[in-house]
Amino acid sequence: MTENQQPIHLRRIRSYILRQGRHTDAQRNALESHWQQYGIDNSTAPLDFTQLFHRTSDVILEIGFGNGESLLHQSIQFPEKNFIGIEVHGPGIGYLLHRVAELKLSNIRIIRHDAVEVLTRRIADNSLACVQLFFPDPWHKRRHHKRRLLQAEFARLVLCKLKPGGKIHMATDWQNYARQMLNIMDNTENFTNLAGKGRFSDDKGTRTETKFERRGKKLGHNVWDLIYYKS
Ligand SMILES: C[S@@+](CC[C@H](N)C(=O)[O-])C[C@H]1O[C@@H](n2cnc3c(N)ncnc32)[C@H](O)[C@@H]1O
């Protein structure tokens, strides 16, 4: 069996390369002081959202939140909803923890692990109200496209984890990746494109501008949003 034929949870091609990254003192302190309260330790056990948030409410999952700008903004804007962020980059997690603790938010939890494995092992089917994927690493060289997170198998995995009527919102500033996303999503059965087949969304939903969006715009890139519902 080749790497690409393996089930997604066994695939060894990852969508990220773990860099050490330098932590500021505030980020390191936040990781030490606030992980216990807001972090979800790695395990293979399925998550019980009600136990995690001490209440039952819609759960929004953001994959690759960077330094968590959008996640933070939304968790403040929608206190009635529960947010889970997944990221592998330590300094970004430290930054978000610092802000979440400072603002005493209670509707946000953080996982430091590969999102594909988390989705596969820890998230129950039909359980998420929304999945967000904002400015995922574009892996712009053709030989690296296999590292892109949004592949057909990943789309089916997300579909499986969303509740009926749940949605996935993606945004990218790489035209070639945007087209790939559109093609894959339009061809994934049981996903309906909010903008209509073959079209990007004019609606930016609830997302807020992030570091990577600003970086893309500085380079003169456009931004493409894609929003799909699970039927
Ligand atoms: C280009 S950055 C975008 C960050 C943020 N969404 C923004 O707009 O500023 C992509 C992020 O996704 C994270 N990432 C990539 N693959 C991931 C995976 N499989 N699981 C968790 N995080 C991942 C990377 O560590 C990186 O921080």
Side-chain angles (χ1 to χ4, degrees):
M1 190 185 273
T2 67
E3 199 160 44
N4 281 339
Q5 290 168 321
Q6 288 177 343
I8 201 159
H9 60 283
L10 297 179
R11 220 171 58 183
R12 272 167 290 149
I13 301 175
R14 297 206 187 269
S15 56
Y16 59 90
I17 290 175
L18 261 191
R19 293 159 280 127
Q20 272 306 319
R22 275 223 309 268
H23 296 72
T24 63
D25 287 347
Q27 289 163 353
R28 192 170 302 104
N29 287 342
L31 282 163
E32 278 165 18
S33 313
H34 307 307
W35 179 260
Q36 185 106 14
Q37 190 178 354
Y38 298 106
I40 301 174
D41 286 331
N42 285 328
S43 135
T44 52
L47 291 172
D48 178 336
F49 295 154
T50 306
Q51 199 177 52
L52 201 58
F53 291 98
H54 311 296
R55 65 177 185 178
T56 304
S57 182
D58 277 356
V59 175
I60 289 104
L61 181 86
E62 182 171 342
I63 296 174
F65 59 72
N67 63 15
E69 277 169 292
S70 182
L71 199 55
L72 193 69
H73 177 82
Q74 292 188 50
S75 68
I76 295 167
Q77 211 183 351
F78 303 106
E80 74 283 7
K81 299 194 176 180
N82 294 330
F83 293 84
I84 298 178
I86 311 180
E87 180 51 76
V88 289
H89 185 54
I93 296 171
Y95 178 79
L96 179 61
L97 277 172
H98 174 71
R99 296 287 290 133
V100 167
E102 198 172 51
L103 294 163
K104 298 189 170 49
L105 299 175
S106 59
N107 62 337
I108 188 162
R109 297 290 182 274
I110 300 170
I111 303 182
R112 185 176 188 167
H113 198 58
D114 180 354
V116 175
E117 284 181 18
V118 173
L119 274 174
T120 307
R121 293 165 196 245
R122 306 210 64 190
I123 306 290
D125 292 355
N126 300 304
S127 66
L128 298 172
C130 180
V131 171
Q132 302 180 329
L133 182 63
F134 299 147
F135 303 90
D137 296 295
W139 294 107
H140 57 271
K141 290 185 181 154
R142 180 171 288 277
R143 69 174 189 280
H144 289 151
H145 284 186
K146 56 183 178 288
R147 285 189 174 276
R148 288 177 169 175
L149 199 50
L150 203 280
Q151 311 281 347
E153 200 172 353
F154 181 78
R156 289 194 294 272
L157 179 62
V158 170
L159 182 79
C160 188
K161 303 299 167 180
L162 285 173
K163 293 175 173 179
K167 71 174 177 188
I168 176 169
H169 182 181
M170 295 173 283
T172 180
D173 61 312
W174 284 84
Q175 187 170 24
N176 168 284
Y177 198 5
R179 294 233 147 265
Q180 177 182 334
M181 288 174 170
L182 189 69
N183 185 34
I184 288 172
M185 294 300 295
D186 273 356
N187 288 296
T188 303
E189 216 174 315
N190 296 326
F191 265 135
T192 305
N193 186 340
L194 182 73
K197 230 177 174 164
R199 295 175 63 88
F200 294 104
S201 177
D202 293 329
D203 183 358
K204 302 220 172 298
T206 53
R207 73 176 179 82
T208 195
E209 198 175 69
T210 63
K211 178 177 159 188
F212 279 85
E213 178 166 9
R214 285 190 292 279
R215 182 189 276 187
K217 284 178 172 169
K218 255 193 196 154
L219 292 170
H221 295 177
N222 286 333
V223 171
W224 292 271
D225 280 84
L226 300 95
I227 302 179
Y228 287 77
Y229 283 91
K230 174 174 174 174
S231 46

